[in-house]
Amino acid sequence: MTYTITLIPGDGIGPEVTEAAKRVLEATGVAFHWDLAYAGAGAQDLYGTPLPDYVLESIRKNKVAFKGPVTTPVGSGFRSVNVALRKKLDLYACLRPCKTYPGAPSLFKDVDIVVVRENTEDLYSGIEFEEGSPEAVRLLELIAETTGNAVREDSGFSLKVISRTASRRIVRFAFEYARTHGRKKVTAVHKANIMKFSDGLFLAIAREVAKDYPDIKFDDIIVDTLCMQLVRRPQQFDVLVLPNLYGDIISELCAGLVGGLGVAPGANIGDDLAIFEPTHGSAPKYMEQNKVNPMAMILSGVMMLRYLGEAETADRVEKAVAQVIAEGKNVTYDMKPNVPNARVVSTSQVADAVIEKLEELSHATQRN
Ligand code: NAD
């Protein structure tokens, strides 16, 4: 069968890493039809908007998208293509596995953490009131009236919104993921000691949902304690489930634990739609240099293959990437092994090396 996938190259380094990963996926023998869709800087020039409607329609039709990173213009009217995509398509779960592959530049061994980040609310609600605006003044009055607290008049506001509904579905997603992927423990991350009505609600719901999964261990941890524990002994963690902002920060921290953004894949998943994209952004300073690491994008492709039910092919691509990392001869600058005469190669050469390994692995399977 042929899978029709919406392909969003993105901007900055997006087109380079997307092309490299696409070549790897095509070399697996699984058939893809790519439905090309432009979002980000290129779309802005072509259509006058960074997120044209046809991109959303394509994803709704094909159900699965493979996406490169997109730059968020600072201070423009448009907040973020990425946030808009997740919200408009209700891709409520952001899945970011962080795993050490032997040979990757990491201080740790045997880290295998899956970050499950809530994608639709929290401080990303987009509800903000500018300092001095009439709305901010009204809010100051409401706060004074209802709580008796005097907030400084020159304050701006960003609203942290945590709902029972979104908390329940993300925690349920984390437990279902744990159950279907042979994971043993889910840890809910929060700051409920301070934010009783937002993080407190998240924690209460997590505890409630955990009761439906007696086969999976459950515990919780305060986000600052988690940071300290992660940099000391990350191997103790399995699946982490977090509200949006902590999820964003902790997934980058976990990427750093396993070798950096160059090897950190991701997915944004809803009830019947999914976008696979790396954790990293568009790194504009490296654009068009054929220099950055395509592995995060390739590993996002591995996640996509698993989602499509192509588990055996997914395992083979992951193994090929792991072998390229372990050999250290065909890796980009960010993965340079700490050995004399180590060589770094370009984005496209990494893809070539992974494809070569894939072919070797296929021949080995045929011989057995
Ligand atoms: P970034 O992830 O783009 O880059 C930060 C640094 O990480 C780079 O300078 C580079 O040193 C390293 N890096 C990133 N990807 C790499 C790779 N594949 N190989 C090797 N090194 C890599 O973060 P940023 O500079 O904060 O963001 C740039 C833009 O990307 C911003 O506009 C941001 O909003 C956007 N962004 C988009 C997404 C997305 O599309 N999903 C995600 C994060 C950031």
Side-chain angles (χ1 to χ4, degrees):
M1 88 173 263
T2 300
Y3 295 103
T4 302
I5 308 286
T6 301
L7 180 70
I8 305 171
D11 56 34
I13 59 168
E16 300 158 54
V17 291
T18 313
E19 177 58 25
K22 178 172 157 271
R23 281 204 292 123
V24 169
L25 290 174
E26 286 171 348
T28 60
V30 172
F32 292 100
H33 167 71
W34 305 105
D35 189 7
L36 200 56
Y38 292 102
Q44 179 70 49
D45 298 342
L46 277 172
Y47 308 104
T49 165
L51 184 56
D53 281 345
Y54 87 93
V55 177
L56 295 163
E57 281 155 24
S58 167
I59 301 170
R60 286 196 185 102
K61 180 170 63 114
N62 299 323
K63 311 277 185 219
V64 180
F66 195 45
K67 174 183 166 295
V70 168
T71 307
T72 302
V74 178
S76 89
F78 208 90
R79 259 178 222 279
S80 157
V81 166
N82 304 303
V83 175
L85 272 172
R86 292 165 200 166
K87 282 198 173 169
K88 282 179 192 274
L89 300 173
D90 201 22
L91 305 175
Y92 58 86
C94 176
L95 194 57
R96 290 178 167 173
C98 295
K99 182 169 166 181
T100 38
Y101 293 99
S106 167
L107 295 172
F108 301 99
K109 273 198 246 167
D110 304 323
V111 177
D112 189 2
I113 297 172
V114 175
V115 175
V116 178
R117 164 188 174 192
E118 203 288 323
N119 241 351
T120 63
E121 54 178 28
D122 190 8
L123 276 161
Y124 289 66
S125 67
I127 305 170
E128 299 196 291
F129 302 109
E130 195 177 359
E131 177 229 329
S133 66
E135 295 80 8
V137 172
R138 278 175 65 190
L139 193 54
L140 286 166
E141 286 165 6
L142 179 73
I143 293 167
E145 200 182 296
T146 53
T147 70
N149 288 332
V151 174
R152 287 188 188 91
E153 276 179 17
D154 54 357
S155 300
F157 298 88
S158 302
L159 216 61
K160 175 167 168 124
V161 180
I162 301 262
S163 71
R164 197 174 273 277
T165 307
S167 301
R168 190 176 292 118
R169 70 179 178 175
I170 196 65
V171 177
R172 207 165 272 294
F173 181 97
F175 274 101
E176 287 294 328
Y177 181 90
R179 199 175 252 178
T180 51
H181 291 75
R183 297 278 173 164
K184 298 200 163 34
K185 185 174 76 169
V186 171
T187 303
V189 183
H190 59 89
K191 187 86 184 166
N193 50 335
I194 304 296
M195 283 160 278
K196 298 189 189 305
F197 299 140
S198 49
D199 286 25
L201 182 60
F202 179 80
L203 177 59
I205 299 292
R207 286 183 173 146
E208 206 177 287
V209 172
K211 290 187 190 137
D212 294 340
Y213 297 86
D215 48 322
I216 310 283
K217 274 193 217 147
F218 171 74
D219 61 7
D220 70 273
I221 190 164
I222 294 178
V223 65
D224 38 336
T225 310
L226 172 72
C227 291
M228 192 273 288
Q229 294 283 349
L230 274 173
V231 295
R232 282 181 65 83
R233 209 165 53 83
Q235 298 85 352
Q236 66 185 291
F237 296 104
D238 190 347
V239 176
L240 301 176
V241 61
L242 317 87
N244 208 337
L245 182 65
Y246 307 146
D248 189 15
I249 298 167
I250 297 297
S251 56
E252 292 243 356
L253 194 163
C254 290
L257 296 176
V258 300
L261 287 170
V263 282
N268 296 295
I269 301 179
D271 283 334
D272 67 341
L273 305 178
I275 297 181
F276 295 84
E277 63 174 340
T279 295
H280 66 72
S282 58
K285 71 177 177 190
Y286 291 126
M287 178 177 166
E288 289 173 4
Q289 293 177 33
N290 195 18
K291 179 177 174 162
V292 295
N293 194 347
M295 286 177 174
M297 191 79 207
I298 297 172
L299 292 169
S300 303
V302 167
M303 292 174 74
M304 183 171 80
L305 285 167
R306 291 214 171 97
Y307 183 86
L308 293 171
E310 299 285 348
E312 184 274 325
T313 308
D315 290 347
R316 198 154 42 91
V317 179
E318 187 178 11
K319 210 166 175 182
V321 171
Q323 287 184 1
V324 171
I325 295 174
E327 284 181 8
K329 287 192 304 198
N330 289 292
V331 290
T332 45
Y333 73 97
D334 56 313
M335 303 282 284
K336 188 174 170 190
N338 195 10
V339 293
N341 305 323
R343 177 175 91 105
V344 298
V345 301
S346 66
T347 309
S348 47
Q349 284 170 312
V350 172
D352 295 340
V354 174
I355 291 169
E356 202 171 300
K357 288 283 171 221
L358 268 178
E359 283 162 7
E360 285 171 24
L361 288 167
S362 298
H363 291 148
T365 319
Q366 279 160 17
R367 276 198 303 275
N368 289 336

